[in-house]
Structure formats: C-alpha cells, structure tokens
Amino acid sequence: MKVLMRILALLFAAMMAAGAAAQQDLHRSVVLITADGLRWQEIFRGADPAFFGREETGMKDARDVARRFGGASAAERRAKLLPFFWNELVKIGSLYGNRDKGSEVVVRNRHRFSYPGYSEILTGRPRDDLIDSNDNRPNPSFTVLEIVRKELGLAREQVALFGSWETFSGIGAHEPGSVFINAGYTSLELAGASARLIELSRDQFSLLTPWRTVRHDYTTFELALEYLRTRKPRLLYIALGETDDWAHAKRYDRYLEMIHYFDGCVGRIWRAIQQMPEYRDRTLLVAATDHGRGSKIKNWDRHGADVRGAQYIWLAVAGAGLAAGGEAGEGSRLTQSDIAPTILEWMGIPYTKLEGVAGRPLPAIAAGKSR
Ligand SMILES: [Zn+2]
C-alpha cells in the first residue's frame, strides 16, 4: 500500500510538472526590437540642443526638426523624441542605461560595431577572437533564435528575424536556414504569404535608400508586424538599421527622425501584442541597440574600439507579470550579454543552453518566473 501511494504521488508530481511545462510553453512569447547605433544619450536626454543649427550635424537646414524635438529640459526633449518610451513604456516596463542617474549597460565585446554587438545580443557572449568584421558570415555560435526553436520543437517559421541590414542573414543563425530570416533587399520567401506581405516585399525594390546593404526600416517593420499578425511566431526579432546609417552620414536631423520612427514602431508592436490573445499577457518585449557612439559633436557619428564611450548602451524590457521598474538608477549594472539569457529565462529554457554564456538573465525576469 505504501509503495502504491508513493507511485501515485510520483505520478501526480510528474503530471503537475508536465502540465506546468505545457502551460508555460503555451504562454510565453518574445518580441525583440533593435535600433542600430542609437545612443543612450538620445534615449535619456532627448535631442542634444548643442547640435542644433550646426553644419557638421546636418542641422543647419533642419530648423523644423530642432523645433519638433527641442525643449527646455532633458525630460521635455526625450518625451518629444520618444513619446512611447517616456509616456507609456516607462510606466509598464524598465529602462536601463541612464548614466546620468548611475545606471549602466555596456557591451562586453571590445569592437563596438555591429556584427559583434548583434552577435553578443543573440548569443549572450562576446567572441572578439572570431568576430572582428561586419562580413556576412554564419554566426560562429548557435543563436538564441536557434536554441528557442530547438528546445521548444518549433516549426522554422515560428522563429523569425526581419532585418533592414542584409548581414542579418549571417548573424541570425549558426546553421544557415535553421530559422526564418528576411534581411536587406531580399524577396520574402514564404508560402501562403498575405497580400500585404507580398506587396511590401515587392515594393522594397522601388523604395531605395542611399545604401546598397540596408533597406528602409519602414519595409522591415511593416513586414515584421504583418508577419506577427498572420503567422504568430513565438519569437520575433525586428532589427532596424537606418539610425546608424544616417549618423554615419552626419545627418543628426535624419538620425533624430529615425529614432522618433523607432519609438513609434515599439509602440505599435506593443499595442499589436495587447490586441492579440495569443500574445497578450504572455509576451516579453525587449528593445535594445548594438553599440553606442561618440559623445561629442566631433565624434557622435562614429563608433568602434577607438571611440570613447561607444561601449555604453541602453536596454528596455516590458512584459506581463514583470515589475515595472521604470527608469533604473544608481547601482544598476547590465551588459549586452544579458539579453539572450533573459529571453531564454522568460521562455522557460535554461540560459546555460547558450554555449559559453557570459551574461545572466535580468533579475526582474528570474523573480517574475518564480511567482
Ligand atoms: Zn555603424
């Protein structure tokens, strides 16, 4: 009898565990969205008024932009530049990396440019030895996208990446083709695509940017949003790129406008999540960047190992059941390597599945999970 009771108890425990795992499986999704080379300074201070009217920032002929994003205080300017971040996201999520308040987010890789940064975001570790260029090659490590697909046994299209920069076809996966990726000026290869997806895919080739390897963020974002609505992926990564390209072109006016556009995209994706029962109350939203830039008028356009301050970035997260920490302050220390572990922790997958992981899940995620 005792033995029978023990067997029953064990069976019951196993059923409960399986049930909890299945429920977690059903309940968890992630949307990751990045803006290339978007400085922490603009996120937390808004547009820099010292740049207004200056020829070397492209602001000489852009007085209307200065008017739109100007203001007497940093609080006023940042709310104009990023209205979703500062009117809504700050109330429902957490924003890290305001160095003026003692909060810091840094890249661990020493390169401070794009491939190393995105790889660190997607693999939870720097690989300075292997990744030292922006050449379009498969990622030397398995990415969080591949790990989520494998661990949850998902179909390929259930883990998707849309990128403005063509090199995401390499960065996104160690095994090419293992997850769904559409990046740069590339036709969407998708059976049964909606009319909207087909139209966006076709029109991208008529809407050229000044760059051969980066298509418009508009195309990337609209494709991703329509994909979310019609395909319901469990993990969606939207990688926007124009902020960095306009900065390199020394066009602070366009850089500001693309930041404002990015803020609108984050708001739209959040609202889309809230409108769909498949995502509402079970989706983690993560917004991030691949690297910082110089802090001065003479080097704000640049980044890289030799640019002081380009290692400092920012990070924003929001999700149902997560404490809304608002703007992080003194003592908050995070790294770019923490993003992939955070995504896995949210999905109920041990973050140590990331080979050689250097980062850790955000404490808020770990705490939220145990509730
Ligand atoms: Zn760049």
Side-chain angles (χ1 to χ4, degrees), residues 143-207:
T143 67
V144 69
L145 307 176
E146 293 172 292
I147 292 167
V148 165
R149 186 192 165 197
K150 181 170 170 242
E151 293 299 318
L152 300 183
L154 300 172
R156 178 173 169 272
E157 288 172 12
Q158 285 297 295
V159 177
L161 188 168
F162 288 85
S164 294
W165 186 33
E166 66 179 20
T167 306
F168 275 100
S169 63
I171 303 170
H174 177 62
E175 289 178 348
S178 60
V179 295
F180 184 86
I181 299 179
N182 177 266
Y185 285 103
T186 306
S187 287
L188 190 74
E189 306 283 346
L190 183 67
S194 71
R196 171 95 175 131
L197 286 173
I198 291 166
E199 188 185 332
L200 286 163
S201 175
R202 185 193 62 214
D203 288 354
Q204 66 179 307
F205 301 105
S206 307
L207 300 164

Short mmCIF file of all heavy atoms in Angstrom, two decimals, residues 143-207:
data_model
loop_
_atom_site.label_atom_id
_atom_site.label_comp_id
_atom_site.label_asym_id
_atom_site.label_seq_id
_atom_site.Cartn_x
_atom_site.Cartn_y
_atom_site.Cartn_z
N THR A 143 22.56 30.72 -32.05
CA THR A 143 21.92 31.92 -31.50
C THR A 143 20.69 31.54 -30.66
O THR A 143 20.18 30.42 -30.74
CB THR A 143 21.46 32.86 -32.63
OG1 THR A 143 20.39 32.22 -33.37
CG2 THR A 143 22.60 33.19 -33.58
N VAL A 144 20.24 32.52 -29.90
CA VAL A 144 19.05 32.32 -29.06
C VAL A 144 17.85 31.95 -29.93
O VAL A 144 16.96 31.20 -29.50
CB VAL A 144 18.79 33.59 -28.21
CG1 VAL A 144 18.33 34.76 -29.07
CG2 VAL A 144 17.77 33.33 -27.11
N LEU A 145 17.83 32.41 -31.17
CA LEU A 145 16.74 32.06 -32.08
C LEU A 145 16.74 30.55 -32.35
O LEU A 145 15.70 29.87 -32.28
CB LEU A 145 16.88 32.81 -33.41
CG LEU A 145 17.04 34.33 -33.36
CD1 LEU A 145 17.26 34.90 -34.76
CD2 LEU A 145 15.84 35.00 -32.72
N GLU A 146 17.92 30.03 -32.64
CA GLU A 146 18.03 28.59 -32.93
C GLU A 146 17.75 27.74 -31.68
O GLU A 146 17.13 26.68 -31.78
CB GLU A 146 19.45 28.29 -33.44
CG GLU A 146 19.74 28.89 -34.81
CD GLU A 146 21.19 28.76 -35.22
OE1 GLU A 146 22.05 29.42 -34.59
OE2 GLU A 146 21.48 27.99 -36.16
N ILE A 147 18.21 28.24 -30.54
CA ILE A 147 18.02 27.47 -29.29
C ILE A 147 16.53 27.41 -28.92
O ILE A 147 16.01 26.36 -28.56
CB ILE A 147 18.88 28.06 -28.16
CG1 ILE A 147 20.36 27.82 -28.49
CG2 ILE A 147 18.51 27.45 -26.81
CD1 ILE A 147 21.33 28.61 -27.64
N VAL A 148 15.83 28.53 -29.06
CA VAL A 148 14.39 28.54 -28.76
C VAL A 148 13.65 27.59 -29.70
O VAL A 148 12.80 26.80 -29.28
CB VAL A 148 13.81 29.98 -28.86
CG1 VAL A 148 12.28 29.96 -28.92
CG2 VAL A 148 14.27 30.81 -27.66
N ARG A 149 13.99 27.64 -30.97
CA ARG A 149 13.32 26.74 -31.92
C ARG A 149 13.55 25.28 -31.55
O ARG A 149 12.62 24.47 -31.49
CB ARG A 149 13.82 27.00 -33.35
CG ARG A 149 13.02 26.18 -34.33
CD ARG A 149 13.55 26.09 -35.73
NE ARG A 149 12.85 24.97 -36.39
CZ ARG A 149 13.25 24.40 -37.49
NH1 ARG A 149 14.35 24.80 -38.09
NH2 ARG A 149 12.58 23.39 -38.00
N LYS A 150 14.80 24.95 -31.27
CA LYS A 150 15.15 23.55 -30.98
C LYS A 150 14.53 23.08 -29.65
O LYS A 150 13.89 22.03 -29.60
CB LYS A 150 16.68 23.42 -30.90
CG LYS A 150 17.17 22.03 -30.62
CD LYS A 150 18.68 21.92 -30.80
CE LYS A 150 19.17 20.59 -30.27
NZ LYS A 150 20.11 20.73 -29.15
N GLU A 151 14.69 23.90 -28.62
CA GLU A 151 14.23 23.47 -27.28
C GLU A 151 12.71 23.35 -27.21
O GLU A 151 12.19 22.52 -26.47
CB GLU A 151 14.75 24.43 -26.21
CG GLU A 151 16.25 24.40 -26.02
CD GLU A 151 16.76 23.04 -25.57
OE1 GLU A 151 16.11 22.42 -24.70
OE2 GLU A 151 17.80 22.59 -26.10
N LEU A 152 12.00 24.20 -27.94
CA LEU A 152 10.53 24.14 -27.90
C LEU A 152 9.97 23.31 -29.06
O LEU A 152 8.75 23.18 -29.19
CB LEU A 152 9.94 25.56 -27.91
CG LEU A 152 10.34 26.47 -26.75
CD1 LEU A 152 9.62 27.81 -26.83
CD2 LEU A 152 10.08 25.81 -25.39
N GLY A 153 10.85 22.77 -29.90
CA GLY A 153 10.39 21.94 -31.01
C GLY A 153 9.49 22.68 -31.98
O GLY A 153 8.47 22.15 -32.43
N LEU A 154 9.86 23.93 -32.29
CA LEU A 154 9.00 24.76 -33.13
C LEU A 154 9.29 24.57 -34.61
O LEU A 154 10.40 24.21 -35.01
CB LEU A 154 9.22 26.24 -32.78
CG LEU A 154 8.93 26.65 -31.33
CD1 LEU A 154 9.36 28.09 -31.09
CD2 LEU A 154 7.45 26.47 -30.99
N ALA A 155 8.27 24.86 -35.42
CA ALA A 155 8.47 24.89 -36.87
C ALA A 155 9.39 26.07 -37.20
O ALA A 155 9.43 27.05 -36.46
CB ALA A 155 7.14 25.05 -37.59
N ARG A 156 10.09 25.98 -38.31
CA ARG A 156 11.08 27.01 -38.69
C ARG A 156 10.48 28.41 -38.70
O ARG A 156 11.09 29.36 -38.22
CB ARG A 156 11.65 26.64 -40.06
CG ARG A 156 12.65 27.63 -40.62
CD ARG A 156 13.29 27.09 -41.90
NE ARG A 156 14.05 28.12 -42.57
CZ ARG A 156 13.52 28.96 -43.47
NH1 ARG A 156 12.25 28.87 -43.80
NH2 ARG A 156 14.27 29.88 -44.03
N GLU A 157 9.27 28.55 -39.22
CA GLU A 157 8.66 29.88 -39.35
C GLU A 157 8.19 30.46 -38.02
O GLU A 157 7.79 31.62 -37.97
CB GLU A 157 7.48 29.82 -40.33
CG GLU A 157 7.92 29.66 -41.75
CD GLU A 157 6.75 29.41 -42.69
OE1 GLU A 157 5.59 29.58 -42.27
OE2 GLU A 157 7.00 29.03 -43.84
N GLN A 158 8.23 29.66 -36.96
CA GLN A 158 7.79 30.16 -35.65
C GLN A 158 8.86 30.98 -34.95
O GLN A 158 8.62 31.56 -33.89
CB GLN A 158 7.35 28.98 -34.76
CG GLN A 158 6.00 28.43 -35.17
CD GLN A 158 4.90 29.46 -35.00
OE1 GLN A 158 4.60 29.88 -33.89
NE2 GLN A 158 4.32 29.92 -36.11
N VAL A 159 10.05 30.99 -35.51
CA VAL A 159 11.12 31.86 -35.01
C VAL A 159 11.60 32.69 -36.20
O VAL A 159 12.13 32.14 -37.16
CB VAL A 159 12.29 31.05 -34.42
CG1 VAL A 159 13.40 31.98 -33.98
CG2 VAL A 159 11.81 30.20 -33.24
N ALA A 160 11.34 34.01 -36.14
CA ALA A 160 11.57 34.83 -37.33
C ALA A 160 12.38 36.08 -37.04
O ALA A 160 12.26 36.68 -35.97
CB ALA A 160 10.23 35.22 -37.95
N LEU A 161 13.21 36.43 -37.98
CA LEU A 161 14.02 37.65 -37.91
C LEU A 161 13.78 38.48 -39.17
O LEU A 161 13.94 37.98 -40.29
CB LEU A 161 15.50 37.29 -37.80
CG LEU A 161 16.55 38.38 -37.51
CD1 LEU A 161 17.88 37.74 -37.15
CD2 LEU A 161 16.74 39.40 -38.60
N PHE A 162 13.41 39.75 -38.99
CA PHE A 162 13.32 40.70 -40.10
C PHE A 162 14.35 41.78 -39.85
O PHE A 162 14.33 42.42 -38.79
CB PHE A 162 11.92 41.30 -40.20
CG PHE A 162 10.90 40.32 -40.71
CD1 PHE A 162 10.26 39.46 -39.84
CD2 PHE A 162 10.60 40.26 -42.07
CE1 PHE A 162 9.34 38.53 -40.32
CE2 PHE A 162 9.68 39.34 -42.55
CZ PHE A 162 9.05 38.47 -41.67
N GLY A 163 15.26 42.00 -40.80
CA GLY A 163 16.32 42.97 -40.61
C GLY A 163 16.44 43.92 -41.78
O GLY A 163 16.26 43.52 -42.94
N SER A 164 16.76 45.19 -41.48
CA SER A 164 16.99 46.15 -42.56
C SER A 164 18.35 45.90 -43.23
O SER A 164 18.51 46.11 -44.42
CB SER A 164 16.96 47.59 -42.03
OG SER A 164 15.67 47.92 -41.57
N TRP A 165 19.31 45.43 -42.44
CA TRP A 165 20.69 45.20 -42.91
C TRP A 165 20.84 43.76 -43.39
O TRP A 165 20.46 42.83 -42.68
CB TRP A 165 21.64 45.48 -41.75
CG TRP A 165 23.10 45.44 -42.05
CD1 TRP A 165 23.72 45.79 -43.21
CD2 TRP A 165 24.13 45.03 -41.14
NE1 TRP A 165 25.08 45.64 -43.07
CE2 TRP A 165 25.37 45.18 -41.82
CE3 TRP A 165 24.14 44.56 -39.81
CZ2 TRP A 165 26.59 44.86 -41.22
CZ3 TRP A 165 25.36 44.26 -39.22
CH2 TRP A 165 26.57 44.41 -39.91
N GLU A 166 21.39 43.59 -44.58
CA GLU A 166 21.45 42.25 -45.18
C GLU A 166 22.31 41.26 -44.38
O GLU A 166 22.09 40.05 -44.45
CB GLU A 166 21.96 42.33 -46.62
CG GLU A 166 23.40 42.79 -46.76
CD GLU A 166 23.86 42.84 -48.23
OE1 GLU A 166 22.99 42.89 -49.13
OE2 GLU A 166 25.08 42.84 -48.45
N THR A 167 23.26 41.77 -43.59
CA THR A 167 24.17 40.88 -42.86
C THR A 167 23.45 40.04 -41.78
O THR A 167 24.01 39.08 -41.25
CB THR A 167 25.32 41.71 -42.27
OG1 THR A 167 25.91 42.45 -43.35
CG2 THR A 167 26.40 40.85 -41.64
N PHE A 168 22.21 40.42 -41.46
CA PHE A 168 21.46 39.58 -40.51
C PHE A 168 21.20 38.17 -41.02
O PHE A 168 20.94 37.26 -40.23
CB PHE A 168 20.14 40.26 -40.12
CG PHE A 168 20.32 41.23 -39.00
CD1 PHE A 168 20.41 42.59 -39.26
CD2 PHE A 168 20.46 40.80 -37.69
CE1 PHE A 168 20.61 43.49 -38.23
CE2 PHE A 168 20.66 41.68 -36.65
CZ PHE A 168 20.75 43.05 -36.93
N SER A 169 21.30 37.99 -42.34
CA SER A 169 21.14 36.61 -42.85
C SER A 169 22.26 35.73 -42.32
O SER A 169 22.11 34.52 -42.18
CB SER A 169 21.11 36.62 -44.38
OG SER A 169 22.34 37.08 -44.90
N GLY A 170 23.42 36.34 -41.98
CA GLY A 170 24.51 35.58 -41.37
C GLY A 170 24.44 35.59 -39.85
O GLY A 170 24.51 34.54 -39.20
N ILE A 171 24.28 36.79 -39.27
CA ILE A 171 24.32 36.94 -37.80
C ILE A 171 23.27 36.08 -37.10
O ILE A 171 23.51 35.54 -36.03
CB ILE A 171 24.09 38.42 -37.39
CG1 ILE A 171 25.10 39.35 -38.06
CG2 ILE A 171 24.16 38.57 -35.87
CD1 ILE A 171 24.78 40.84 -37.90
N GLY A 172 22.10 35.95 -37.73
CA GLY A 172 20.96 35.35 -37.05
C GLY A 172 21.06 33.87 -36.73
O GLY A 172 20.36 33.38 -35.85
N ALA A 173 21.94 33.16 -37.44
CA ALA A 173 21.96 31.70 -37.23
C ALA A 173 23.35 31.11 -37.49
O ALA A 173 24.08 31.55 -38.38
CB ALA A 173 20.95 31.03 -38.15
N HIS A 174 23.67 30.13 -36.68
CA HIS A 174 24.91 29.36 -36.88
C HIS A 174 24.73 28.40 -38.06
O HIS A 174 25.64 28.23 -38.86
CB HIS A 174 25.22 28.59 -35.60
CG HIS A 174 26.42 27.71 -35.69
ND1 HIS A 174 27.69 28.22 -35.93
CD2 HIS A 174 26.57 26.37 -35.58
CE1 HIS A 174 28.56 27.21 -35.97
NE2 HIS A 174 27.90 26.09 -35.76
N GLU A 175 23.55 27.81 -38.13
CA GLU A 175 23.23 26.93 -39.25
C GLU A 175 22.30 27.67 -40.21
O GLU A 175 21.12 27.86 -39.90
CB GLU A 175 22.54 25.65 -38.75
CG GLU A 175 23.50 24.74 -38.02
CD GLU A 175 22.83 23.48 -37.46
OE1 GLU A 175 21.58 23.40 -37.43
OE2 GLU A 175 23.59 22.60 -37.03
N PRO A 176 22.83 28.11 -41.36
CA PRO A 176 22.01 28.89 -42.29
C PRO A 176 20.70 28.18 -42.63
O PRO A 176 20.68 26.97 -42.86
CB PRO A 176 22.90 29.01 -43.53
CG PRO A 176 24.30 28.87 -43.01
CD PRO A 176 24.20 27.90 -41.87
N GLY A 177 19.59 28.94 -42.57
CA GLY A 177 18.29 28.35 -42.91
C GLY A 177 17.57 27.70 -41.75
O GLY A 177 16.45 27.23 -41.91
N SER A 178 18.21 27.67 -40.57
CA SER A 178 17.58 26.96 -39.45
C SER A 178 16.40 27.74 -38.85
O SER A 178 15.53 27.16 -38.21
CB SER A 178 18.61 26.66 -38.37
OG SER A 178 19.19 27.85 -37.89
N VAL A 179 16.39 29.08 -39.02
CA VAL A 179 15.24 29.88 -38.59
C VAL A 179 14.85 30.78 -39.75
O VAL A 179 15.63 30.95 -40.71
CB VAL A 179 15.55 30.72 -37.32
CG1 VAL A 179 15.82 29.83 -36.13
CG2 VAL A 179 16.73 31.66 -37.55
N PHE A 180 13.65 31.39 -39.66
CA PHE A 180 13.17 32.22 -40.78
C PHE A 180 13.83 33.60 -40.72
O PHE A 180 13.68 34.32 -39.75
CB PHE A 180 11.66 32.36 -40.71
CG PHE A 180 11.10 33.12 -41.88
CD1 PHE A 180 10.78 32.45 -43.06
CD2 PHE A 180 10.93 34.49 -41.82
CE1 PHE A 180 10.28 33.15 -44.15
CE2 PHE A 180 10.43 35.20 -42.92
CZ PHE A 180 10.12 34.53 -44.08
N ILE A 181 14.58 33.96 -41.77
CA ILE A 181 15.25 35.27 -41.80
C ILE A 181 14.97 35.96 -43.13
O ILE A 181 15.09 35.36 -44.19
CB ILE A 181 16.78 35.13 -41.60
CG1 ILE A 181 17.10 34.51 -40.24
CG2 ILE A 181 17.45 36.52 -41.72
CD1 ILE A 181 18.60 34.32 -39.96
N ASN A 182 14.57 37.25 -43.04
CA ASN A 182 14.42 38.08 -44.23
C ASN A 182 15.15 39.39 -43.93
O ASN A 182 14.75 40.14 -43.06
CB ASN A 182 12.94 38.33 -44.53
CG ASN A 182 12.76 39.26 -45.72
OD1 ASN A 182 12.62 40.47 -45.55
ND2 ASN A 182 12.79 38.71 -46.92
N ALA A 183 16.27 39.65 -44.63
CA ALA A 183 17.11 40.80 -44.28
C ALA A 183 17.70 41.46 -45.50
O ALA A 183 18.08 40.80 -46.46
CB ALA A 183 18.22 40.34 -43.34
N GLY A 184 17.78 42.80 -45.45
CA GLY A 184 18.29 43.57 -46.58
C GLY A 184 17.30 43.52 -47.74
O GLY A 184 16.15 43.11 -47.58
N TYR A 185 17.77 43.97 -48.89
CA TYR A 185 16.88 43.94 -50.07
C TYR A 185 16.72 42.50 -50.55
O TYR A 185 17.44 42.03 -51.42
CB TYR A 185 17.47 44.82 -51.17
CG TYR A 185 17.31 46.30 -50.90
CD1 TYR A 185 18.37 47.07 -50.46
CD2 TYR A 185 16.07 46.91 -51.08
CE1 TYR A 185 18.21 48.43 -50.21
CE2 TYR A 185 15.90 48.27 -50.83
CZ TYR A 185 16.98 49.02 -50.40
OH TYR A 185 16.81 50.36 -50.14
N THR A 186 15.77 41.81 -49.94
CA THR A 186 15.55 40.40 -50.23
C THR A 186 14.06 40.12 -50.33
O THR A 186 13.29 40.53 -49.46
CB THR A 186 16.15 39.52 -49.10
OG1 THR A 186 17.51 39.87 -48.90
CG2 THR A 186 16.06 38.04 -49.43
N SER A 187 13.66 39.40 -51.37
CA SER A 187 12.26 39.00 -51.50
C SER A 187 11.86 38.08 -50.35
O SER A 187 12.68 37.30 -49.87
CB SER A 187 12.04 38.23 -52.80
OG SER A 187 12.08 39.12 -53.89
N LEU A 188 10.62 38.21 -49.94
CA LEU A 188 10.10 37.33 -48.89
C LEU A 188 9.77 35.97 -49.51
O LEU A 188 8.98 35.89 -50.44
CB LEU A 188 8.84 37.96 -48.30
CG LEU A 188 8.29 37.32 -47.04
CD1 LEU A 188 9.16 37.68 -45.84
CD2 LEU A 188 6.87 37.79 -46.79
N GLU A 189 10.44 34.94 -49.00
CA GLU A 189 10.17 33.58 -49.50
C GLU A 189 9.28 32.89 -48.48
O GLU A 189 9.76 32.38 -47.47
CB GLU A 189 11.48 32.79 -49.65
CG GLU A 189 12.54 33.46 -50.51
CD GLU A 189 12.27 33.35 -52.00
OE1 GLU A 189 11.40 32.53 -52.37
OE2 GLU A 189 12.91 34.10 -52.77
N LEU A 190 7.98 32.93 -48.70
CA LEU A 190 7.06 32.41 -47.71
C LEU A 190 5.80 31.88 -48.39
O LEU A 190 5.06 32.65 -49.02
CB LEU A 190 6.69 33.54 -46.72
CG LEU A 190 5.79 33.20 -45.56
CD1 LEU A 190 6.48 32.26 -44.58
CD2 LEU A 190 5.36 34.48 -44.83
N ALA A 191 5.56 30.60 -48.24
CA ALA A 191 4.36 30.01 -48.84
C ALA A 191 3.12 30.57 -48.14
O ALA A 191 3.09 30.71 -46.92
CB ALA A 191 4.40 28.50 -48.69
N GLY A 192 2.11 30.93 -48.92
CA GLY A 192 0.85 31.41 -48.36
C GLY A 192 0.94 32.78 -47.73
O GLY A 192 0.16 33.11 -46.82
N ALA A 193 1.88 33.62 -48.18
CA ALA A 193 2.03 34.96 -47.62
C ALA A 193 0.79 35.80 -47.91
O ALA A 193 0.17 35.67 -48.97
CB ALA A 193 3.27 35.63 -48.20
N SER A 194 0.43 36.68 -46.97
CA SER A 194 -0.74 37.56 -47.15
C SER A 194 -0.47 38.56 -48.27
O SER A 194 0.69 38.81 -48.65
CB SER A 194 -1.04 38.29 -45.84
OG SER A 194 -0.04 39.26 -45.59
N ALA A 195 -1.54 39.17 -48.78
CA ALA A 195 -1.41 40.16 -49.85
C ALA A 195 -0.51 41.32 -49.41
O ALA A 195 0.29 41.85 -50.19
CB ALA A 195 -2.80 40.67 -50.24
N ARG A 196 -0.64 41.71 -48.14
CA ARG A 196 0.16 42.82 -47.60
C ARG A 196 1.65 42.45 -47.62
O ARG A 196 2.50 43.28 -47.99
CB ARG A 196 -0.30 43.12 -46.17
CG ARG A 196 0.58 44.09 -45.40
CD ARG A 196 0.09 45.50 -45.48
NE ARG A 196 0.87 46.41 -44.64
CZ ARG A 196 1.36 47.56 -45.08
NH1 ARG A 196 1.17 47.94 -46.33
NH2 ARG A 196 2.02 48.35 -44.28
N LEU A 197 1.98 41.24 -47.21
CA LEU A 197 3.38 40.79 -47.22
C LEU A 197 3.94 40.79 -48.64
O LEU A 197 5.06 41.24 -48.88
CB LEU A 197 3.51 39.39 -46.60
CG LEU A 197 3.39 39.29 -45.08
CD1 LEU A 197 3.37 37.83 -44.63
CD2 LEU A 197 4.52 40.03 -44.37
N ILE A 198 3.14 40.30 -49.58
CA ILE A 198 3.59 40.22 -50.98
C ILE A 198 3.85 41.63 -51.53
O ILE A 198 4.86 41.89 -52.17
CB ILE A 198 2.54 39.47 -51.83
CG1 ILE A 198 2.52 37.99 -51.42
CG2 ILE A 198 2.84 39.62 -53.32
CD1 ILE A 198 1.32 37.21 -51.94
N GLU A 199 2.94 42.57 -51.19
CA GLU A 199 3.08 43.93 -51.67
C GLU A 199 4.32 44.61 -51.07
O GLU A 199 5.10 45.26 -51.79
CB GLU A 199 1.81 44.71 -51.28
CG GLU A 199 1.71 46.09 -51.88
CD GLU A 199 0.48 46.83 -51.34
OE1 GLU A 199 -0.51 46.19 -50.97
OE2 GLU A 199 0.54 48.07 -51.30
N LEU A 200 4.50 44.46 -49.76
CA LEU A 200 5.67 45.07 -49.10
C LEU A 200 6.97 44.50 -49.66
O LEU A 200 7.93 45.22 -49.90
CB LEU A 200 5.62 44.81 -47.58
CG LEU A 200 4.61 45.63 -46.80
CD1 LEU A 200 4.35 45.00 -45.44
CD2 LEU A 200 5.10 47.07 -46.63
N SER A 201 6.98 43.19 -49.86
CA SER A 201 8.17 42.53 -50.39
C SER A 201 8.50 43.06 -51.78
O SER A 201 9.66 43.36 -52.10
CB SER A 201 7.95 41.02 -50.42
OG SER A 201 9.05 40.39 -51.04
N ARG A 202 7.47 43.22 -52.60
CA ARG A 202 7.67 43.71 -53.97
C ARG A 202 8.12 45.18 -53.97
O ARG A 202 9.04 45.57 -54.67
CB ARG A 202 6.35 43.57 -54.74
CG ARG A 202 6.45 43.92 -56.22
CD ARG A 202 5.04 44.07 -56.82
NE ARG A 202 4.31 45.14 -56.17
CZ ARG A 202 2.99 45.12 -55.96
NH1 ARG A 202 2.25 44.09 -56.32
NH2 ARG A 202 2.40 46.15 -55.37
N ASP A 203 7.47 46.02 -53.14
CA ASP A 203 7.71 47.46 -53.19
C ASP A 203 9.09 47.87 -52.66
O ASP A 203 9.57 48.96 -52.96
CB ASP A 203 6.62 48.21 -52.41
CG ASP A 203 5.30 48.20 -53.16
OD1 ASP A 203 5.29 47.72 -54.32
OD2 ASP A 203 4.29 48.65 -52.60
N GLN A 204 9.71 47.02 -51.83
CA GLN A 204 11.01 47.40 -51.26
C GLN A 204 12.02 47.75 -52.36
O GLN A 204 12.89 48.61 -52.15
CB GLN A 204 11.56 46.30 -50.36
CG GLN A 204 11.93 45.02 -51.08
CD GLN A 204 12.50 43.97 -50.12
OE1 GLN A 204 13.43 44.23 -49.36
NE2 GLN A 204 11.92 42.78 -50.14
N PHE A 205 11.89 47.11 -53.53
CA PHE A 205 12.87 47.32 -54.59
C PHE A 205 12.66 48.63 -55.35
O PHE A 205 13.49 49.04 -56.16
CB PHE A 205 12.85 46.12 -55.55
CG PHE A 205 13.17 44.83 -54.85
CD1 PHE A 205 12.15 43.91 -54.57
CD2 PHE A 205 14.46 44.54 -54.44
CE1 PHE A 205 12.42 42.73 -53.90
CE2 PHE A 205 14.74 43.36 -53.76
CZ PHE A 205 13.71 42.46 -53.50
N SER A 206 11.53 49.28 -55.08
CA SER A 206 11.26 50.59 -55.67
C SER A 206 11.53 51.73 -54.69
O SER A 206 11.47 52.89 -55.05
CB SER A 206 9.80 50.68 -56.14
OG SER A 206 9.48 49.60 -56.97
N LEU A 207 11.78 51.37 -53.42
CA LEU A 207 11.97 52.38 -52.37
C LEU A 207 13.43 52.32 -51.91
O LEU A 207 13.73 51.81 -50.83
CB LEU A 207 11.04 52.08 -51.18
CG LEU A 207 9.54 52.08 -51.46
CD1 LEU A 207 8.79 51.40 -50.32
CD2 LEU A 207 9.04 53.51 -51.65
#
